[in-house]
C-alpha cells in the first residue's frame, strides 16, 4: 500500500473513484462524438491525416492523464476541473485540505 | 529530366497520369468511406485507438505508395493492379514491354 493511500478514508476513495470514472466517461463520450462529427464531413485525404495527428496528440494526452494513483489524484482532479470534465462539487466529501489543494491547483 | 522519363511518350504520360489519379481517387474514397463507417459505430476509447493505429499504418503505406516518378511507375502500377485499385485495361496504350512488366510484377 502506498503511503499516501493511507491518507484517504474509504468514503473518500469511493467519492474519488466515482468522480474519476464520471470525468473519464464524459471526456471519452465527448471525444468519440467529436471524432464522429469530424469524420462525417471528410472529403480529402489531408483532412484524414489531420484527424490522425489530432488522435496522436489526444491519445498521448488522455493516456497520460487518467492516472489513478492516490498520490497523483489531487493533480488529476485539478486538471479535470480546469478542463471542465469535473465540477468541484462532485468532490464534496473529500477532506478540506484535499479540496483546497485541488481547488488551488485548478486555478493555476 | 530523368533518363527514364525519355522512355515515356506523351500519350503514355497522359495514360499513366490518368490511371494514377484514378487509382488514387478510388483508394482515397474507399479509405474515407471505411473510416466513416468504422467511426459511426465507435462506443469505446479502445476502438478509437485501434482506428488510430490503423490510420498510422495506412498513412505510412499510402504516402509511400503514390510516388509519381517515371522510373518507379511500373512498380507503382503493378501494386495498384494487385490491390485492385486499377485494372490492367486502364493502362492500355502503354508500350507492350511496359504492360508486360507491370502485368508480371502484379502477379508476384
Amino acid at each position: 500500500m502506498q503511503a499516501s493511500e493511507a491518507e484517504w478514508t474509504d468514503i473518500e476513495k469511493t467519492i474519488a473513484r466515482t468522480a474519476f470514472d464520471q470525468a473519464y466517461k464524459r471526456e471519452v463520450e465527448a471525444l468519440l462524438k467529436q471524432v464522429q462529427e469530424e469524420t462525417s464531413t471528410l472529403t480529402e485525404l489531408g483532412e484524414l491525416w489531420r484527424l490522425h495527428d489530432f488522435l496522436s496528440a489526444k491519445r498521448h494526452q488522455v493516456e497520460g492523464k487518467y492516472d489513478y494513483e492516490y498520490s497523483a489524484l489531487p493533480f488529476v482532479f485539478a486538471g479535470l476541473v480546469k478542463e471542465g470534465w469535473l465540477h468541484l462539487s462532485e468532490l464534496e466529501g473529500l477532506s478540506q485540505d484535499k479540496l483546497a489543494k485541488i481547488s488551488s491547483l485548478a486555478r493555476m
Side-chain angles (χ1 to χ4, degrees), chain A:
Chain A
M1 190 169 85
Q2 284 196 335
S4 56
E5 185 175 345
E7 297 164 16
W8 295 73
T9 66
D10 285 346
I11 290 176
E12 284 185 317
K13 287 179 181 177
T14 302
I15 292 167
R17 186 79 241 183
T18 303
F20 184 93
D21 291 346
Q22 184 63 46
Y24 180 82
K25 186 168 177 283
R26 284 179 190 139
E27 181 162 8
V28 168
E29 282 177 357
L31 175 59
L32 294 179
K33 188 163 176 252
Q34 181 183 357
V35 170
Q36 284 168 337
E37 284 174 0
E38 291 188 11
T39 307
S40 68
T41 60
L42 285 179
T43 55
E44 289 177 16
L45 199 58
E47 296 169 331
L48 184 61
W49 297 159
R50 277 195 291 282
L51 176 68
H52 175 248
D53 288 337
F54 167 77
L55 290 177
S56 299
K58 208 70 189 174
R59 187 172 189 172
H60 181 74
Q61 181 198 3
V62 169
E63 290 191 339
K65 191 163 63 177
Y66 287 92
D67 177 18
Y68 201 81
E69 299 233 5
Y70 288 101
S71 58
L73 275 185
F75 302 96
V76 173
F77 284 143
L80 294 173
V81 168
K82 195 171 184 176
E83 292 170 11
W85 302 117
L86 197 64
H87 194 273
L88 266 181
S89 65
E90 295 175 290
L91 294 169
E92 275 176 20
L94 298 187
S95 66
Q96 283 307 310
D97 63 313
K98 288 192 187 71
L99 284 175
K101 185 177 181 182
I102 292 166
S103 173
S104 169
L105 287 167
R107 283 195 303 271
M108 281 182 184

